Amino acid sequence: RRLTGWLGFAMAMLMQAQHELRRNGSKLGRGSTPREYAPVSQKGDDDQDVGPHSDFQGLVNIFCGHKILTTMLLVALPAGFYAHHIEMDPQYIFLFNFVAIVPLAWLIGKATEDVAAKLGEAAGGLLNATFGNVVEMMLCVSGIRNGEIIVVQCTLLGSILSNLLLVMGCAFLAGGLIHHDQRYNQAGAATQCSLMSMSVFAIGLPTIYTNILKQDEEWEHMVAVSRWVSVMLLGVYFAYLVFQLKTHAHLFQDEDAEEEEESPDLSAPAAAVLLLASTVVTSFATDYLIEALKGTVETWKVSREFVGIIMLPIIGNAAEHYTAITVAMRNKMDLALGVAAGSSCQMGLLVTPFSVLVGWAYGAEMTLNFHAFQLAVLLFSVFLVTTILNNGRSNWLEGYILLITYLVVALVYFFEGTGEDASLATLD
């Protein structure tokens, strides 16, 4: 009952924050393109979209224009830091920092947009693509530093599932209830499906290899394989950025989208300072959240897997999730897929190998050896999404199917036991 109350409070705050993100200046607000696909426009005329006269006024615009997020930041962030330093009950440390990371992720996104607006097309797109996942990266780094390898792997899997099933499902359902039949670029969607299939292949082989050959020396071989495969996956991600931003950008753009671009609120130096400060503060918040995880799951009687797969993906992607739904309701399905499928590709090709290499740097055995059940969930999810995206059209029924699939996965992990013998991540 206490868990239900706290989760209800956190979800209510997140829903209010997402409603606030509908205003101008949200991370993926009106006229802007999703973080994954966006070649950043360059404004050459000084008389177009003149921004605030000073950085101070720009900051005022940012915070006053998003009162819900600002309130969450001013209340939850100090509370989370204070709760950590006075060693309050772990569940309160976890909850306060969980809520605080939502506005911090929004600030990182806003600062990244303003910096990217002053850069060239390629550099701006690369910056957006990289810092779009900085919160998930910091959660993974904190988990590796604290020895929570299971939580890191579940967070990686959960972010992919959340984008493929929950976000895409909500977008298809919401858009389909308004528009009878919606279309998107099938070639771009096919590219996403191919990249996700490759991610399943890269995760699946080390997992199957370890489950078949259980000798200690084979485990050492699998660790080395995971690390070098991660290096190659990063190379694939870089090639994908070139493909998406330069050589085949037309496959990922909405041809009917309006060419509106909002002027940045901050100058490039001020935005860079805000980006740096937000990133540093977020790193502390994620550390405190991960450190409080053990006590929280014991108090709430839920598994680490449920927290990693269902709860943690929420805080890093709240803005993008809401945007995918709103653009789908405006019949801009290429943009919606850019958030859902594109973010999943980023998690599989960028954040997952990044986490393995961070584990290598810390001397931790963070590998691509996921649990067989997790691999099965990922494989079936990618297969389902691939079958749905094979015709360049979407409707509300397909969205409903994706949502039900996600709820089935959530129920499995919610009712999972909390002991190691019952864990779907460590069971042999």
Side-chain angles (χ1 to χ4, degrees):
R1 188 173 300 173
R2 177 181 298 179
L3 168 62
T4 304
W6 282 119
L7 287 178
F9 169 77
M11 293 303 103
M13 295 296 292
L14 287 172
M15 290 297 293
Q16 287 181 308
Q18 292 173 338
H19 178 74
E20 191 69 31
L21 284 165
R22 194 172 183 176
R23 295 186 175 187
N24 296 334
S26 65
K27 187 175 180 181
L28 293 173
R30 175 179 57 82
S32 60
T33 52
R35 71 180 181 190
E36 174 67 18
Y37 295 102
V40 179
S41 64
Q42 302 180 63
K43 299 183 183 297
D45 300 329
D46 294 336
D47 56 358
Q48 294 181 357
D49 271 343
V50 178
H53 294 293
S54 68
D55 289 328
F56 176 78
Q57 183 62 43
L59 286 173
V60 172
N61 293 344
I62 291 173
F63 289 106
C64 292
H66 301 83
K67 295 180 181 179
I68 299 291
L69 289 168
T70 302
T71 301
M72 292 173 63
L73 182 68
L74 296 178
V75 174
L77 183 61
F81 279 50
Y82 178 73
H84 171 79
H85 287 294
I86 67 171
E87 298 182 354
M88 195 179 289
D89 192 282
Q91 63 176 329
Y92 300 113
I93 300 175
F94 180 91
L95 181 64
F96 288 140
N97 285 284
F98 181 90
V99 175
I101 292 174
V102 175
L104 286 170
W106 158 68
L107 276 182
I108 291 174
K110 174 58 181 172
T112 302
E113 278 191 348
D114 286 2
V115 173
K118 302 295 185 180
L119 300 176
E121 179 178 318
L126 179 61
L127 183 68
N128 271 317
T130 303
F131 273 88
N133 291 289
V134 69
V135 174
E136 292 91 337
M137 289 180 174
M138 285 189 288
L139 283 170
C140 292
V141 171
S142 297
I144 292 171
R145 290 175 55 195
N146 287 275
E148 295 284 358
I149 303 298
I150 293 175
V151 175
V152 172
Q153 291 182 325
C154 289
T155 301
L156 295 170
L157 175 65
S159 293
I160 296 174
L161 296 179
S162 175
N163 283 294
L164 284 182
L165 302 178
L166 178 62
V167 181
M168 191 180 297
C170 289
F172 282 8
L173 179 61
L177 291 176
I178 298 176
H179 307 279
H180 182 266
D181 190 53
Q182 295 182 289
R183 297 175 180 268
Y184 50 85
N185 192 313
Q186 185 177 356
T191 301
Q192 310 304 325
C193 293
S194 298
L195 290 170
M196 285 309 307
S197 298
M198 181 182 179
S199 298
V200 174
F201 183 84
I203 293 174
L205 285 186
T207 302
I208 296 172
Y209 179 84
T210 305
N211 280 272
I212 294 177
L213 302 173
K214 297 185 177 181
Q215 296 87 357
D216 291 339
E217 59 271 18
E218 300 300 338
W219 169 264
E220 295 177 0
H221 296 165
M222 190 275 301
V223 173
V225 168
S226 295
R227 291 168 176 174
W228 289 111
V229 168
S230 296
V231 173
M232 289 185 280
L233 286 178
L234 289 176
V236 173
Y237 180 71
F238 176 76
Y240 167 53
L241 286 181
V242 174
F243 182 86
Q244 169 261 308
L245 291 173
K246 283 292 185 183
T247 62
H248 291 72
H250 62 282
L251 297 180
F252 307 98
Q253 294 174 345
D254 187 352
E255 296 179 357
D256 299 324
E258 300 176 1
E259 295 297 329
E260 303 179 18
E261 292 292 342
E262 294 182 11
S263 60
D265 288 297
L266 301 174
S267 65
V273 171
L274 178 61
L275 177 60
L276 177 61
S278 300
T279 303
V280 171
V281 174
T282 304
S283 68
F284 283 101
T286 54
D287 273 343
Y288 298 160
L289 181 144
I290 295 298
E291 289 174 7
L293 179 61
K294 182 178 180 180
T296 301
V297 297
E298 292 176 353
T299 302
W300 289 359
K301 304 301 181 184
V302 296
S303 66
R304 283 178 169 84
E305 292 75 35
F306 176 77
V307 174
I309 290 179
I310 305 302
M311 292 185 64
L312 293 185
I314 295 174
I315 57 181
N317 299 312
E320 292 91 329
H321 290 188
Y322 187 76
T323 300
I325 297 172
T326 56
V327 297
M329 294 173 67
R330 299 202 301 268
N331 203 25
K332 297 182 178 181
M333 294 308 296
D334 286 304
L335 299 184
L337 285 176
V339 176
S343 296
S344 296
C345 289
Q346 283 186 321
M347 293 302 303
L349 299 177
L350 173 63
V351 183
T352 298
F354 168 82
S355 300
V356 173
L357 296 182
V358 168
W360 191 0
Y362 277 100
E365 292 185 342
M366 172 65 196
T367 69
L368 296 176
N369 173 33
F370 285 57
H371 187 271
F373 181 80
Q374 295 175 347
L375 174 62
V377 170
L378 180 60
L379 176 62
F380 293 151
S381 299
V382 172
F383 174 76
L384 175 62
V385 170
T386 300
T387 59
I388 287 178
L389 297 180
N390 66 354
N391 60 0
R393 297 183 177 183
S394 66
N395 54 63
W396 66 266
L397 180 60
E398 292 175 339
Y400 184 68
I401 292 172
L402 292 173
L403 279 178
I404 293 300
T405 305
Y406 184 78
L407 291 177
V408 170
V409 175
L411 283 174
V412 169
Y413 282 102
F414 180 77
F415 287 105
E416 179 192 358
T418 57
E420 289 188 2
D421 292 338
S423 174
L424 291 176
T426 57
L427 186 63
D428 292 329

